[in-house]
Amino acid sequence: MGITKSELFSEKKNRLATQFKVLGNPARLAILQYVINQKTCICTDLVEELGLAQATISQHLKELKNIGLLKGTVEGKSVCYCIDEDVWKEFASEFSAFFGQSIPKEECC
């Protein structure tokens, strides 16, 4: 696989590409959907819910936290996670702007 040469692209394009990459994993989408459906912070063991290994879940949670979608608080030995609503709205706006671009109706293909 080649180098992306990210320095050639704007910060906005690089950020959007990172967001797509992180969200391009079905386990991460399942984690987000589970947290959203709980309508509260989750402190439960996601291993039982998703059937993935704890190390795998931890890595996915780390990636979601790195892009800001999840925030967590430590309570004793457990960590509680919830969606960062401000970041969620920012993502929605950026994705909407990207996919909302007009496509020319030319016959080119």
Side-chain angles (χ1 to χ4, degrees):
M1 188 180 298
I3 299 173
T4 61
K5 297 189 178 186
S6 59
E7 69 276 358
L8 297 175
F9 305 101
S10 70
E11 182 180 331
K12 186 175 182 177
K13 283 185 178 59
N14 281 303
R15 184 177 62 248
L16 189 61
T18 299
Q19 293 167 345
F20 280 132
K21 181 178 178 181
V22 171
L23 295 177
N25 185 296
R28 294 180 192 142
L29 294 177
I31 290 169
L32 287 173
Q33 194 66 62
Y34 179 77
V35 174
I36 290 166
N37 289 339
Q38 296 310 300
K39 297 181 175 71
T40 184
C41 290
I42 59 157
C43 302
T44 58
D45 189 6
L46 289 171
V47 172
E48 292 176 22
E49 295 298 325
L50 301 177
L52 298 172
Q54 181 62 54
T56 303
I57 299 257
S58 294
Q59 183 62 36
H60 290 309
L61 289 168
K62 178 183 174 189
E63 293 295 328
L64 291 167
K65 282 184 70 176
N66 284 344
I67 62 169
L69 275 178
L70 284 184
K71 56 185 178 180
T73 57
V74 177
E75 294 183 9
K77 292 183 178 181
S78 66
V79 180
C80 295
Y81 293 98
C82 61
I83 301 289
D84 186 317
E85 291 181 50
D86 292 335
V87 175
W88 184 266
K89 289 176 185 174
E90 182 182 313
F91 272 42
S93 176
E94 290 175 6
F95 286 13
S96 179
F98 181 78
F99 287 111
Q101 298 177 75
S102 296
I103 306 294
K105 299 243 183 214
E106 297 178 19
E107 291 187 30
C108 64
C109 298

XYZ file of all heavy atoms in Angstrom:
851
model
N 0.846 -1.173 0.000
C 0.000 0.000 0.000
C 0.894 1.239 0.000
O 1.896 1.297 0.688
C -0.907 -0.005 1.231
C -1.952 1.091 1.186
S -3.047 1.132 2.618
C -3.840 -0.439 2.506
N 0.538 2.236 -0.780
C 1.346 3.434 -0.908
C 1.112 4.426 0.213
O 0.204 4.306 1.015
N 1.972 5.415 0.230
C 1.861 6.498 1.201
C 0.789 7.467 0.711
O 0.714 7.786 -0.475
C 3.214 7.206 1.360
C 4.258 6.211 1.880
C 3.112 8.400 2.281
C 5.663 6.757 1.907
N -0.033 7.991 1.630
C -1.143 8.864 1.235
C -0.709 10.287 0.946
O -1.437 11.032 0.331
C -2.223 8.914 2.332
O -1.644 9.448 3.517
C -2.812 7.554 2.583
N 0.476 10.682 1.414
C 0.954 12.054 1.242
C -0.071 13.044 1.770
O -0.484 13.975 1.092
C 1.305 12.339 -0.214
C 2.441 11.472 -0.729
C 2.898 11.915 -2.089
C 4.065 11.059 -2.529
N 4.636 11.523 -3.774
N -0.476 12.820 3.017
C -1.530 13.635 3.624
C -1.188 15.109 3.676
O -2.083 15.949 3.713
C -1.860 13.116 5.017
O -0.716 13.143 5.838
N 0.106 15.438 3.642
C 0.491 16.851 3.684
C 0.057 17.612 2.424
O 0.023 18.838 2.420
C 2.008 17.002 3.908
C 2.873 16.554 2.745
C 3.179 15.057 2.707
O 2.752 14.309 3.607
O 3.840 14.636 1.750
N -0.313 16.884 1.381
C -0.780 17.525 0.146
C -2.219 18.021 0.254
O -2.677 18.795 -0.572
C -0.683 16.551 -1.036
C 0.707 16.065 -1.420
C 0.610 15.027 -2.529
C 1.587 17.229 -1.843
N -2.918 17.555 1.280
C -4.340 17.842 1.403
C -4.615 18.728 2.609
O -3.840 18.780 3.559
C -5.133 16.535 1.492
C -4.850 15.620 0.326
C -3.989 14.550 0.471
C -5.411 15.864 -0.917
C -3.713 13.721 -0.615
C -5.131 15.047 -1.998
C -4.280 13.978 -1.844
N -5.752 19.380 2.571
C -6.118 20.299 3.654
C -6.352 19.530 4.953
O -6.614 18.324 4.954
C -7.380 21.080 3.288
O -8.510 20.226 3.286
N -6.282 20.266 6.039
C -6.554 19.677 7.348
C -7.971 19.107 7.389
O -8.210 18.035 7.944
C -6.393 20.747 8.435
C -6.616 20.236 9.831
C -6.459 21.321 10.883
O -5.695 22.277 10.656
O -7.118 21.206 11.924
N -8.902 19.810 6.760
C -10.298 19.366 6.739
C -10.444 18.024 6.016
O -11.126 17.129 6.487
C -11.161 20.436 6.073
C -12.637 20.162 6.113
C -13.428 21.313 5.549
C -14.912 21.064 5.621
N -15.694 22.197 5.154
N -9.769 17.883 4.870
C -9.846 16.624 4.124
C -9.188 15.485 4.893
O -9.698 14.365 4.921
C -9.199 16.783 2.751
C -10.059 17.517 1.754
C -9.390 17.536 0.379
C -10.244 18.226 -0.660
N -10.567 19.604 -0.370
N -8.064 15.764 5.533
C -7.392 14.735 6.330
C -8.248 14.316 7.519
O -8.316 13.130 7.847
C -6.024 15.238 6.800
C -4.984 15.141 5.705
O -4.732 14.081 5.169
N -4.391 16.266 5.364
N -8.908 15.274 8.163
C -9.766 14.960 9.304
C -10.951 14.104 8.855
O -11.286 13.104 9.479
C -10.253 16.239 9.986
C -11.077 15.979 11.241
C -11.507 17.256 11.964
N -12.352 18.094 11.136
C -11.994 19.293 10.648
N -10.804 19.788 10.895
N -12.824 19.986 9.899
N -11.575 14.481 7.742
C -12.715 13.717 7.227
C -12.289 12.291 6.853
O -12.998 11.330 7.153
C -13.335 14.440 6.027
C -14.656 13.910 5.505
C -15.743 13.998 6.573
C -15.091 14.694 4.270
N -11.120 12.157 6.245
C -10.613 10.827 5.884
C -10.383 9.975 7.134
O -10.709 8.782 7.143
C -9.322 10.960 5.080
N -9.858 10.582 8.187
C -9.647 9.857 9.439
C -10.974 9.420 10.032
O -11.119 8.291 10.518
C -8.873 10.732 10.448
O -7.592 11.050 9.881
C -8.685 10.025 11.773
N -11.962 10.299 9.989
C -13.286 9.966 10.509
C -13.885 8.795 9.728
O -14.416 7.847 10.326
C -14.207 11.181 10.434
C -13.799 12.290 11.364
C -14.501 13.608 11.068
O -15.092 13.804 10.011
N -14.421 14.522 12.007
N -13.788 8.843 8.401
C -14.299 7.735 7.590
C -13.572 6.430 7.924
O -14.184 5.376 8.012
C -14.144 8.032 6.099
C -15.197 8.932 5.521
C -14.838 10.009 4.724
C -16.543 8.712 5.742
C -15.802 10.843 4.179
C -17.514 9.535 5.198
C -17.141 10.597 4.408
N -12.254 6.527 8.098
C -11.468 5.330 8.384
C -11.899 4.702 9.711
O -12.111 3.499 9.791
C -9.978 5.685 8.423
C -9.087 4.499 8.678
C -7.629 4.906 8.653
C -6.744 3.710 8.954
N -5.329 4.075 8.959
N -12.027 5.519 10.745
C -12.420 4.997 12.054
C -13.831 4.427 11.994
O -14.103 3.361 12.549
C -12.296 6.082 13.147
C -12.911 5.622 14.453
C -10.831 6.454 13.355
N -14.724 5.101 11.302
C -16.113 4.633 11.234
C -16.300 3.512 10.207
O -17.382 2.937 10.112
C -17.046 5.801 10.910
C -17.104 6.877 11.999
C -17.986 8.029 11.554
C -17.584 6.300 13.310
N -15.252 3.182 9.470
C -15.326 2.129 8.465
C -15.199 0.729 9.036
O -15.023 -0.233 8.291
N -15.299 0.590 10.336
C -15.203 -0.714 10.974
C -16.554 -1.074 11.573
O -17.081 -0.322 12.391
C -14.118 -0.664 12.059
C -13.874 -2.009 12.688
O -14.762 -2.560 13.328
N -12.677 -2.531 12.517
N -17.126 -2.214 11.203
C -18.464 -2.561 11.705
C -18.533 -2.717 13.221
O -19.573 -2.432 13.828
C -18.802 -3.870 10.992
C -17.514 -4.391 10.478
C -16.604 -3.222 10.285
N -17.447 -3.139 13.859
C -17.465 -3.269 15.321
C -17.598 -1.889 15.966
O -18.326 -1.724 16.948
C -16.194 -3.964 15.812
N -16.930 -0.891 15.406
C -17.030 0.460 15.958
C -18.424 1.027 15.749
O -18.959 1.717 16.625
C -15.964 1.352 15.339
C -14.571 0.909 15.747
C -13.498 1.776 15.158
N -12.219 1.120 15.371
C -11.238 1.109 14.505
N -11.347 1.766 13.366
N -10.114 0.473 14.774
N -19.018 0.727 14.615
C -20.401 1.167 14.384
C -21.344 0.486 15.376
O -22.259 1.123 15.901
C -20.824 0.867 12.948
C -20.084 1.639 11.848
C -20.565 1.187 10.477
C -20.239 3.133 12.028
N -21.094 -0.784 15.657
C -21.925 -1.511 16.618
C -21.774 -0.920 18.021
O -22.756 -0.788 18.755
C -21.556 -2.998 16.626
N -20.562 -0.554 18.390
C -20.335 0.070 19.697
C -21.085 1.384 19.780
O -21.795 1.648 20.754
C -18.824 0.282 19.950
C -18.139 -1.063 20.174
C -18.603 1.220 21.144
C -16.614 -1.006 20.177
N -20.955 2.224 18.759
C -21.661 3.508 18.755
C -23.163 3.307 18.829
O -23.854 3.986 19.591
C -21.296 4.316 17.509
C -19.906 4.926 17.486
C -19.629 5.538 16.118
C -19.754 5.967 18.584
N -23.681 2.372 18.044
C -25.122 2.121 18.045
C -25.588 1.635 19.404
O -26.635 2.045 19.893
C -25.489 1.100 16.959
C -26.969 1.043 16.688
C -27.487 2.339 16.093
O -27.073 2.731 15.026
N -28.389 3.012 16.787
N -24.803 0.791 20.038
C -25.163 0.298 21.369
C -25.215 1.455 22.371
O -26.163 1.567 23.143
C -24.163 -0.774 21.828
C -24.483 -1.296 23.208
C -25.513 -2.205 23.390
C -23.780 -0.848 24.315
C -25.832 -2.677 24.656
C -24.094 -1.319 25.587
C -25.123 -2.220 25.749
O -25.439 -2.675 27.002
N -24.203 2.309 22.345
C -24.166 3.440 23.275
C -25.348 4.375 23.016
O -26.013 4.830 23.946
C -22.830 4.210 23.161
C -22.847 5.467 24.020
C -21.660 3.309 23.562
N -25.643 4.640 21.754
C -26.773 5.508 21.404
C -28.082 4.906 21.912
O -28.913 5.600 22.496
C -26.840 5.732 19.887
C -25.669 6.604 19.433
C -28.170 6.361 19.475
C -25.451 6.610 17.928
N -28.279 3.616 21.705
C -29.523 2.955 22.104
C -29.722 2.907 23.613
O -30.851 2.810 24.085
C -29.594 1.543 21.527
C -29.822 1.553 20.035
O -30.303 2.526 19.468
N -29.440 0.477 19.377
N -28.634 2.981 24.366
C -28.749 2.945 25.831
C -29.312 4.254 26.374
O -29.832 4.296 27.473
C -27.395 2.656 26.477
C -26.839 1.302 26.135
C -27.856 0.191 26.342
O -28.343 -0.011 27.440
N -28.181 -0.524 25.276
N -29.178 5.316 25.604
C -29.681 6.645 25.987
C -29.097 7.119 27.317
O -29.685 7.951 28.007
C -31.202 6.654 26.034
C -31.838 6.375 24.690
C -33.350 6.410 24.779
C -34.003 6.268 23.444
N -33.967 5.039 22.783
N -27.963 6.575 27.690
C -27.258 6.977 28.900
C -25.817 6.502 28.757
O -25.498 5.745 27.846
C -27.902 6.354 30.156
O -27.231 6.855 31.303
C -27.854 4.850 30.141
N -24.965 6.937 29.650
C -23.595 6.428 29.636
C -23.611 4.929 29.918
O -24.442 4.447 30.682
C -22.748 7.144 30.678
S -22.412 8.862 30.262
N -22.705 4.220 29.280
C -22.643 2.779 29.510
C -21.435 2.446 30.367
O -20.355 2.971 30.167
C -22.596 1.967 28.202
C -21.379 2.351 27.369
C -23.866 2.116 27.404
C -20.954 1.285 26.410
N -21.636 1.616 31.333
C -20.558 1.136 32.190
C -20.509 -0.389 32.142
O -19.762 -1.014 32.873
C -20.760 1.601 33.625
S -20.848 3.382 33.805
N -21.331 -0.956 31.281
C -21.426 -2.409 31.211
C -20.296 -2.983 30.372
O -19.613 -2.275 29.642
C -22.761 -2.842 30.578
O -22.844 -2.262 29.271
C -23.928 -2.388 31.405
N -20.135 -4.259 30.469
C -19.115 -4.967 29.725
C -19.595 -5.188 28.289
O -20.548 -5.922 28.057
C -18.829 -6.301 30.416
C -17.638 -7.012 29.829
O -16.956 -6.423 28.966
O -17.386 -8.152 30.242
N -18.955 -4.545 27.348
C -19.357 -4.679 25.947
C -19.014 -6.042 25.363
O -19.550 -6.412 24.323
C -18.703 -3.580 25.107
C -19.244 -2.176 25.329
C -18.375 -1.149 24.617
C -20.668 -2.074 24.840
N -18.140 -6.780 26.026
C -17.782 -8.115 25.538
C -19.024 -8.988 25.449
O -19.244 -9.675 24.456
C -16.711 -8.766 26.449
C -16.472 -10.217 26.068
C -15.412 -7.979 26.379
N -19.867 -8.940 26.475
C -21.093 -9.743 26.477
C -22.061 -9.279 25.388
O -22.746 -10.086 24.770
C -21.777 -9.640 27.834
C -21.009 -10.287 28.956
C -21.674 -10.075 30.306
O -22.884 -9.804 30.345
O -20.956 -10.187 31.317
N -22.108 -7.985 25.158
C -23.046 -7.438 24.184
C -22.629 -7.714 22.743
O -23.473 -7.988 21.896
C -23.193 -5.923 24.383
C -23.810 -5.529 25.698
C -25.223 -6.049 25.867
O -25.968 -6.123 24.876
O -25.582 -6.389 27.003
N -21.326 -7.606 22.457
C -20.859 -7.691 21.073
C -20.192 -9.009 20.715
O -20.023 -9.309 19.543
C -19.895 -6.534 20.775
C -20.475 -5.135 20.959
C -19.407 -4.093 20.702
C -21.665 -4.909 20.040
N -19.776 -9.775 21.722
C -19.143 -11.057 21.448
C -17.714 -10.951 20.952
O -17.199 -11.878 20.336
N -17.065 -9.822 21.204
C -15.667 -9.644 20.817
C -14.787 -9.735 22.060
O -15.261 -9.544 23.182
C -15.468 -8.278 20.150
C -16.241 -8.032 18.860
C -16.086 -6.572 18.424
C -15.760 -8.963 17.765
N -13.512 -9.986 21.861
C -12.572 -10.065 22.976
C -12.411 -8.695 23.632
O -12.544 -7.660 22.974
C -11.221 -10.564 22.484
N -12.113 -8.698 24.930
C -11.941 -7.444 25.669
C -10.868 -6.563 25.039
O -11.038 -5.355 24.917
C -11.596 -7.734 27.132
C -11.427 -6.474 27.969
C -12.711 -5.644 28.034
O -13.752 -6.163 28.392
N -12.631 -4.376 27.678
N -9.760 -7.154 24.629
C -8.679 -6.369 24.015
C -9.147 -5.708 22.721
O -8.794 -4.559 22.438
C -7.468 -7.263 23.758
N -9.944 -6.422 21.968
C -10.486 -5.884 20.718
C -11.423 -4.717 20.999
O -11.334 -3.662 20.362
C -11.222 -6.981 19.923
O -10.312 -8.056 19.686
C -11.764 -6.462 18.609
N -12.303 -4.899 21.949
C -13.245 -3.830 22.329
C -12.467 -2.604 22.807
O -12.777 -1.476 22.429
C -14.205 -4.321 23.434
C -15.021 -5.486 22.939
C -15.044 -3.180 23.985
C -16.425 -5.217 22.545
N -11.466 -2.828 23.642
C -10.671 -1.716 24.166
C -10.007 -0.931 23.046
O -9.968 0.308 23.080
C -9.602 -2.233 25.137
O -10.204 -2.777 26.277
N -9.490 -1.625 22.054
C -8.858 -0.942 20.922
C -9.882 -0.118 20.146
O -9.607 1.023 19.758
C -8.170 -1.952 19.996
C -7.427 -1.314 18.841
C -6.299 -0.395 19.289
O -5.617 -0.657 20.267
N -6.116 0.706 18.577
N -11.058 -0.666 19.923
C -12.100 0.073 19.209
C -12.560 1.295 20.003
O -12.760 2.374 19.442
C -13.293 -0.836 18.894
C -12.999 -1.872 17.853
N -12.445 -1.569 16.632
C -13.191 -3.212 17.850
C -12.298 -2.680 15.920
N -12.749 -3.686 16.641
N -12.717 1.133 21.315
C -13.099 2.263 22.157
C -12.032 3.359 22.105
O -12.350 4.547 22.035
C -13.318 1.803 23.601
C -14.567 0.958 23.847
C -14.517 0.336 25.237
C -15.833 1.780 23.667
N -10.779 2.952 22.103
C -9.671 3.915 22.023
C -9.743 4.712 20.728
O -9.574 5.936 20.731
C -8.337 3.166 22.122
C -7.129 4.065 22.013
C -5.845 3.250 22.056
C -4.656 4.153 21.798
N -3.422 3.394 21.613
N -9.995 4.042 19.617
C -10.088 4.730 18.323
C -11.259 5.707 18.300
O -11.141 6.818 17.785
C -10.223 3.717 17.181
C -9.003 2.855 16.958
C -7.783 3.637 16.498
O -7.940 4.653 15.800
O -6.663 3.222 16.853
N -12.381 5.311 18.863
C -13.555 6.194 18.910
C -13.311 7.390 19.830
O -13.768 8.493 19.554
C -14.793 5.409 19.343
C -15.299 4.398 18.316
C -16.309 3.452 18.946
C -15.895 5.109 17.112
N -12.559 7.164 20.906
C -12.210 8.274 21.796
C -11.204 9.204 21.119
O -11.279 10.420 21.284
C -11.640 7.747 23.114
C -12.714 7.240 24.069
C -12.129 6.816 25.393
C -11.666 8.054 26.142
N -11.168 7.766 27.486
N -10.278 8.636 20.355
C -9.258 9.447 19.689
C -9.851 10.456 18.711
O -9.306 11.543 18.534
C -8.231 8.570 18.965
C -7.251 7.920 19.916
O -7.119 8.317 21.066
N -6.565 6.906 19.435
N -10.947 10.104 18.061
C -11.577 11.061 17.142
C -12.638 11.891 17.841
O -13.282 12.731 17.222
C -12.143 10.391 15.865
C -13.244 9.393 16.181
C -11.034 9.759 15.035
C -14.007 8.918 14.948
N -12.827 11.637 19.131
C -13.688 12.488 19.938
C -15.139 12.083 20.052
O -15.898 12.721 20.775
N -15.561 11.030 19.348
C -16.974 10.647 19.387
C -17.402 10.114 20.748
O -18.529 10.325 21.166
C -17.287 9.602 18.319
C -17.597 10.147 16.945
C -17.829 9.009 15.962
C -18.777 11.083 16.963
N -16.508 9.409 21.416
C -16.815 8.885 22.745
C -15.999 9.633 23.779
O -14.849 9.992 23.539
C -16.451 7.398 22.850
C -17.369 6.386 22.205
C -16.875 4.977 22.515
C -18.803 6.541 22.635
N -16.623 9.852 24.913
C -15.882 10.360 26.061
C -16.146 9.402 27.200
O -17.173 8.711 27.227
C -16.269 11.790 26.394
C -17.745 12.033 26.650
C -18.000 13.508 26.857
C -19.491 13.761 27.061
N -19.768 15.175 27.270
N -15.199 9.333 28.125
C -15.339 8.378 29.212
C -14.885 8.935 30.534
O -14.053 9.830 30.595
N -15.458 8.373 31.576
C -15.062 8.725 32.932
C -14.748 7.448 33.691
O -15.412 6.421 33.495
C -16.181 9.494 33.674
O -17.364 8.688 33.681
C -16.487 10.814 33.001
N -13.742 7.513 34.531
C -13.347 6.350 35.319
C -14.108 6.367 36.634
O -14.139 7.381 37.330
C -11.828 6.364 35.586
C -11.423 5.189 36.459
C -11.056 6.364 34.281
N -14.758 5.256 36.932
C -15.483 5.090 38.188
C -15.020 3.790 38.820
O -15.475 2.713 38.443
C -16.999 5.069 37.942
C -17.549 6.389 37.437
C -19.060 6.367 37.263
O -19.705 5.389 37.688
O -19.581 7.336 36.697
N -14.088 3.902 39.751
C -13.526 2.698 40.358
C -12.702 1.945 39.337
O -11.801 2.494 38.720
N -13.065 0.668 39.130
C -12.348 -0.153 38.165
C -12.982 -0.115 36.777
O -12.459 -0.694 35.839
C -12.294 -1.601 38.643
C -11.440 -1.799 39.858
C -11.377 -3.267 40.225
C -10.483 -3.464 41.432
N -10.380 -4.881 41.792
N -14.112 0.547 36.650
C -14.788 0.566 35.347
C -14.716 1.956 34.721
O -14.517 2.966 35.394
C -16.236 0.126 35.487
O -16.958 1.068 36.243
N -14.874 1.969 33.426
C -14.924 3.212 32.670
C -16.309 3.309 32.049
O -16.812 2.345 31.470
C -13.845 3.246 31.563
C -13.920 4.539 30.783
C -12.457 3.054 32.149
N -16.929 4.457 32.199
C -18.247 4.684 31.606
C -18.075 5.533 30.360
O -17.323 6.512 30.367
C -19.162 5.390 32.603
S -19.529 4.373 34.038
N -18.771 5.160 29.287
C -18.656 5.855 28.016
C -19.992 6.449 27.603
O -21.045 5.883 27.865
C -18.204 4.888 26.911
C -16.807 4.391 27.103
C -16.564 3.147 27.681
C -15.720 5.159 26.721
C -15.283 2.682 27.869
C -14.432 4.705 26.904
C -14.212 3.467 27.472
O -12.940 3.012 27.658
N -19.897 7.592 26.921
C -21.084 8.184 26.313
C -20.656 8.948 25.059
O -19.476 9.218 24.851
C -21.824 9.095 27.293
S -20.859 10.476 27.875
N -21.626 9.252 24.237
C -21.381 10.020 23.013
C -21.134 11.475 23.393
O -21.852 12.030 24.210
C -22.610 9.943 22.070
C -22.930 8.493 21.694
C -22.418 10.816 20.839
C -21.955 7.833 20.776
N -20.114 12.065 22.794
C -19.903 13.506 22.957
C -20.824 14.187 21.955
O -20.573 14.160 20.748
C -18.446 13.867 22.701
C -18.145 15.324 22.991
O -18.964 16.193 22.614
O -17.085 15.592 23.579
N -21.894 14.764 22.447
C -22.936 15.316 21.567
C -22.423 16.430 20.665
O -22.847 16.533 19.508
C -24.115 15.808 22.400
C -24.873 14.674 23.057
C -26.054 15.172 23.865
O -26.848 15.970 23.336
O -26.172 14.745 25.024
N -21.527 17.269 21.157
C -20.991 18.352 20.330
C -20.193 17.799 19.153
O -20.338 18.251 18.017
C -20.111 19.291 21.159
C -20.900 20.081 22.189
O -22.119 20.289 21.972
O -20.312 20.479 23.209
N -19.354 16.799 19.426
C -18.561 16.177 18.358
C -19.479 15.428 17.403
O -19.288 15.470 16.185
C -17.478 15.246 18.949
C -16.735 14.497 17.855
C -16.503 16.046 19.809
N -20.502 14.746 17.943
C -21.475 14.032 17.101
C -22.120 14.981 16.097
O -22.208 14.682 14.908
C -22.526 13.371 17.987
C -23.511 12.536 17.235
C -24.722 12.919 16.762
C -23.355 11.171 16.848
N -25.336 11.873 16.119
C -24.517 10.797 16.156
C -22.338 10.235 17.041
C -24.685 9.514 15.645
C -22.521 8.958 16.529
C -23.680 8.614 15.836
N -22.551 16.150 16.567
C -23.190 17.133 15.696
C -22.212 17.680 14.668
O -22.568 17.907 13.512
C -23.786 18.267 16.531
C -25.004 17.847 17.322
C -25.506 18.961 18.219
C -26.660 18.472 19.082
N -27.082 19.477 20.056
N -20.962 17.860 15.077
C -19.919 18.331 14.160
C -19.692 17.311 13.042
O -19.614 17.671 11.871
C -18.625 18.557 14.945
C -17.478 19.091 14.143
C -16.230 19.239 14.997
O -16.326 19.785 16.116
O -15.164 18.795 14.531
N -19.605 16.027 13.412
C -19.447 14.964 12.420
C -20.632 14.964 11.458
O -20.455 14.876 10.244
C -19.364 13.594 13.099
C -17.985 13.179 13.512
C -17.110 14.077 14.107
C -17.566 11.881 13.324
C -15.849 13.683 14.508
C -16.306 11.477 13.718
C -15.443 12.373 14.304
N -21.826 15.033 12.003
C -23.033 15.016 11.172
C -23.005 16.167 10.174
O -23.346 15.990 9.001
C -24.283 15.085 12.047
N -22.584 17.318 10.619
C -22.512 18.490 9.746
C -21.467 18.302 8.650
O -21.724 18.600 7.473
C -22.187 19.727 10.588
O -22.016 20.847 9.770
N -20.295 17.799 9.023
C -19.233 17.575 8.039
C -19.621 16.509 7.021
O -19.388 16.666 5.826
C -17.934 17.192 8.745
C -17.327 18.336 9.520
C -16.106 17.939 10.334
O -15.635 16.782 10.225
O -15.620 18.795 11.087
N -20.218 15.410 7.486
C -20.642 14.351 6.573
C -21.757 14.844 5.665
O -21.791 14.546 4.473
C -21.092 13.114 7.339
C -19.969 12.314 7.946
C -18.672 12.803 8.037
C -20.203 11.057 8.452
C -17.648 12.064 8.597
C -19.190 10.299 9.016
C -17.910 10.809 9.095
N -22.681 15.595 6.217
C -23.787 16.148 5.434
C -23.269 17.086 4.350
O -23.732 17.046 3.208
C -24.761 16.878 6.349
O -25.815 17.424 5.618
N -22.304 17.919 4.694
C -21.715 18.838 3.712
C -21.013 18.060 2.603
O -21.127 18.392 1.419
C -20.742 19.793 4.391
N -20.322 16.988 2.969
C -19.608 16.185 1.974
C -20.583 15.481 1.039
O -20.469 15.557 -0.183
C -18.702 15.161 2.667
C -17.915 14.319 1.703
C -16.787 14.824 1.083
C -18.310 13.020 1.407
C -16.066 14.056 0.177
C -17.600 12.242 0.514
C -16.469 12.753 -0.102
N -21.567 14.791 1.606
C -22.515 14.033 0.793
C -23.604 14.902 0.188
O -24.330 14.452 -0.689
C -23.134 12.887 1.606
C -22.184 11.764 1.841
C -21.694 11.507 3.109
C -21.750 10.972 0.791
C -20.807 10.476 3.335
C -20.857 9.939 1.002
C -20.377 9.689 2.278
N -23.725 16.134 0.642
C -24.737 17.038 0.113
C -24.275 17.827 -1.101
O -25.022 18.659 -1.622
N -23.057 17.570 -1.554
C -22.543 18.282 -2.725
C -23.347 17.898 -3.963
O -23.721 16.750 -4.154
C -21.069 17.936 -2.949
C -20.173 18.345 -1.799
C -18.748 17.921 -2.033
O -18.064 18.535 -2.838
N -18.324 16.870 -1.354
N -23.576 18.885 -4.796
C -24.318 18.635 -6.036
C -23.452 17.887 -7.028
O -22.270 18.182 -7.189
C -24.761 19.959 -6.662
O -25.659 20.617 -5.814
N -24.052 16.926 -7.678
C -23.378 16.154 -8.713
C -23.903 16.647 -10.051
O -25.133 16.664 -10.284
C -23.690 14.634 -8.567
C -23.362 14.157 -7.162
C -22.968 13.837 -9.632
C -21.917 14.186 -6.781
N -23.002 17.051 -10.973
C -23.469 17.515 -12.286
C -24.214 16.410 -13.011
O -23.835 15.253 -12.975
C -22.187 17.866 -13.037
C -21.079 17.793 -12.057
C -21.562 17.071 -10.849
N -25.303 16.772 -13.647
C -26.153 15.799 -14.362
C -25.714 15.682 -15.825
O -26.528 15.730 -16.719
C -27.597 16.216 -14.265
C -28.119 16.271 -12.868
C -29.210 15.287 -12.705
C -29.760 15.434 -11.305
N -30.187 14.261 -10.720
N -24.426 15.560 -16.027
C -23.917 15.409 -17.392
C -23.856 13.935 -17.735
O -23.701 13.082 -16.881
C -22.514 16.014 -17.479
C -22.483 17.494 -17.215
C -21.074 18.058 -17.254
O -20.175 17.402 -17.817
O -20.871 19.141 -16.702
N -23.948 13.672 -18.988
C -23.829 12.280 -19.445
C -22.365 12.030 -19.758
O -21.891 12.283 -20.858
C -24.692 12.056 -20.681
C -26.175 12.120 -20.358
C -27.022 11.740 -21.554
O -26.571 10.933 -22.390
O -28.131 12.263 -21.623
N -21.650 11.523 -18.764
C -20.228 11.305 -18.942
C -19.858 9.830 -18.906
O -18.759 9.471 -19.292
C -19.432 12.073 -17.881
S -19.743 11.526 -16.207
N -20.715 8.985 -18.448
C -20.383 7.562 -18.333
C -21.387 6.718 -19.096
O -22.536 6.942 -19.124
C -20.384 7.130 -16.869
S -19.180 7.990 -15.885
